[in-house]
Amino acid sequence: MARIFIVFGTRPEAIKMAPVVKAFVADPAFETIVCVTGQHRSMLDQALELFDIKPDIDLDIMQPGQTLANVTTATLNGLDTLFSENRPDAVLVHGDTTTAMAAALAAFYRQIPVGHVEAGLRTGNLAAPWPEEMNRRFIDMVSRWLFAPTETSAAALQNEGVEDERITVTGNTVIDALLSVSEELRHDPDRTALLDKKFAFLDQQKRLIVVTGHRRENFDGGLERMCHALAQLATRGDVEIVYPVHLNENVQRAASAVLEDTSGIHLIDPQDYLPFVYLMDRADLLISDSGGIQEEAPSLGKPVLVTRDVTERPEAITAGTCRLVGTCTETIVAEAEKLLDDPDEYARVSAITNPYGDGHAAPRIVEAMKNAI
């Protein structure tokens, strides 16, 4: 059996790696060890519970007011000891978090081969997103196996000189996760009824806009401008806005300063993945700077306005399921109203096929690793 360490530390990583964990655990060719860092403690635990994943190792590094340097050094020190004691045949990391970067570095120092799930995403701008663009470039540089979600991300790697034999196009694992959770909701009326009750405050006669925002590059005024756009959209009277506000104090401050007690806008706590999928499915429109939402919403037929100036996920922009609108208040309002007020345009965007995969990314990753090892 090949010993595989799967390392992650945040909720988005947990969601996207859950199908990978389950696929490896089910394959007798591998001894799978799941290690979490706890970079995002409570939100990580929510995802682990939903997907019924019990980590073998929990570094539990989260500290109040932690910096990126704190996360990096705690992860690096913790994993260096573990890798020395367990000597895995390979380490799998996901995406572009500080946990993923530090785990790849720890493996590199121990000369353990790394597999990078969701490789090849690029904006070309180290400041946007920051520090994620640096993280993913570094991880791709030291990884032996690069699991690119799309042909576009594979081409980005090839343009940087990565050999073809190191690249496998798999689709995005978040689609695997989304489809499994959506299927669960469709076949569990009791759970759906509980969610209907949880969100009974929503007016079924109004169109629903679901919002998220957390990117660091938007902390310097961008979030406030987005919030002003939401306040303006709420005055239409025919829409209702739900904004699960990220726990980061910069996000909390911007949302409360602009939107607190605004009619038609509900500022709620961050949601577990299951209720958030429920909200996405009920939504008419999403406004977000989240990478995952750019990938997930098209599978549900939901348009997304991306509140960023650049994105490492150009496939959805090219396909037309997402629109890059930045954080200009007037632009966000104008683009939202185009979709809300033009039924033909809305129907056209909603019908576009999701460019991010078919829900079978995890089995492709397992098969590629089996062939390689």
Side-chain angles (χ1 to χ4, degrees):
M1 298 173 69
R3 177 175 292 172
I4 306 293
F5 257 67
I6 300 179
V7 183
F8 52 91
T10 67
R11 185 176 76 163
E13 287 172 287
I15 292 166
K16 292 185 173 187
M17 287 298 258
V20 179
V21 168
K22 292 183 178 296
F24 271 98
V25 168
D27 196 310
F30 298 99
E31 176 193 1
T32 304
I33 299 173
V34 178
C35 175
V36 298
T37 66
Q39 179 179 338
H40 292 169
R41 184 72 272 168
S42 61
M43 292 190 289
L44 169 68
D45 291 343
Q46 292 168 6
L48 293 174
E49 182 178 358
L50 172 62
F51 291 101
D52 193 26
I53 294 174
K54 297 176 175 59
D56 301 288
I57 300 165
D58 189 338
L59 296 180
D60 196 22
I61 67 167
M62 187 172 182
Q63 299 294 327
Q66 65 187 5
T67 66
L68 294 175
N70 297 148
V71 174
T72 301
T73 53
T75 300
L76 190 59
N77 288 330
L79 288 177
D80 183 62
T81 300
L82 287 172
F83 292 164
S84 175
E85 294 172 349
N86 294 275
R87 199 60 195 179
D89 296 292
V91 173
L92 281 184
V93 300
H94 178 277
D96 51 26
T97 67
T98 302
T99 282
M101 183 275 294
L105 181 59
F108 177 74
Y109 281 162
R110 289 284 175 181
Q111 296 185 302
I112 301 167
V114 176
H116 186 197
V117 179
E118 201 177 80
L121 277 63
R122 297 288 185 274
T123 64
N125 182 351
L126 283 174
W130 181 92
E132 289 86 354
E133 180 77 359
M134 182 281 290
N135 288 343
R136 56 185 170 232
R137 289 196 207 183
F138 170 79
I139 299 167
D140 284 341
M141 184 172 64
V142 301
S143 294
R144 181 177 299 181
W145 305 291
L146 299 161
F147 300 114
T150 66
E151 295 290 348
T152 300
S153 50
L157 294 167
Q158 290 164 338
N159 289 339
E160 293 172 1
V162 176
E163 302 86 349
D164 288 348
E165 57 267 23
R166 292 169 56 200
I167 304 170
T168 303
V169 178
T170 62
N172 200 301
T173 59
V174 76
I175 306 304
D176 300 32
L178 174 69
L179 295 180
S180 71
V181 170
S182 298
E183 188 73 10
E184 181 180 341
L185 280 173
R186 278 194 295 271
H187 291 89
D188 191 342
D190 292 338
R191 181 168 282 188
T192 302
L194 287 174
L195 290 169
D196 287 340
K197 185 177 180 180
K198 176 183 174 75
F199 296 106
F201 58 84
L202 295 176
D203 187 343
Q204 305 240 8
Q205 303 304 311
K206 294 184 178 182
R207 304 183 74 181
L208 179 62
I209 300 175
V210 175
V211 179
T212 71
H214 71 281
R215 292 284 180 186
R216 288 182 178 86
E217 63 265 28
N218 286 340
F219 286 176
D220 188 17
L223 286 170
E224 286 85 353
R225 292 190 293 273
M226 180 195 74
C227 289
H228 283 295
L230 300 179
Q232 190 170 330
L233 287 168
T235 64
R236 288 170 52 101
D238 63 340
V239 301
E240 196 164 24
I241 298 171
V242 173
Y243 184 179
V245 184
H246 195 281
L247 296 176
N248 184 284
E249 62 181 14
N250 295 286
V251 183
Q252 294 271 334
R253 189 183 307 116
S256 61
V258 180
L259 298 175
E260 196 165 33
D261 300 324
T262 301
S263 178
I265 296 180
H266 305 280
L267 302 180
I268 63 176
D269 292 335
Q271 297 297 296
D272 295 353
Y273 189 59
L274 186 69
F276 191 75
V277 170
Y278 170 90
L279 285 174
M280 282 200 296
D281 203 27
R282 278 192 60 170
D284 293 278
L285 173 66
L286 290 105
I287 299 175
S288 176
D289 59 15
S290 165
I293 289 174
Q294 293 174 61
E295 297 157 344
E296 293 166 304
S299 284
L300 301 174
K302 310 298 179 178
V304 184
L305 299 183
V306 183
T307 52
R308 297 172 60 185
D309 296 320
V310 292
T311 179
E312 62 284 344
R313 294 168 172 86
E315 299 89 346
I317 306 300
T318 301
T321 60
C322 299
R323 297 181 179 180
L324 206 62
V325 298
T327 59
C328 172
T329 299
E330 291 75 16
T331 302
I332 295 170
V333 172
E335 291 295 330
E337 292 190 329
K338 281 182 188 177
L339 290 164
L340 293 170
D341 296 336
D342 187 339
D344 292 337
E345 176 64 5
Y346 186 90
R348 184 190 69 79
V349 173
S350 299
I352 297 171
T353 300
N354 190 341
Y356 292 112
D358 57 6
H360 299 288
R364 294 187 184 106
I365 291 168
V366 171
E367 194 62 26
M369 290 293 290
K370 191 182 297 186
N371 292 336
I373 295 180

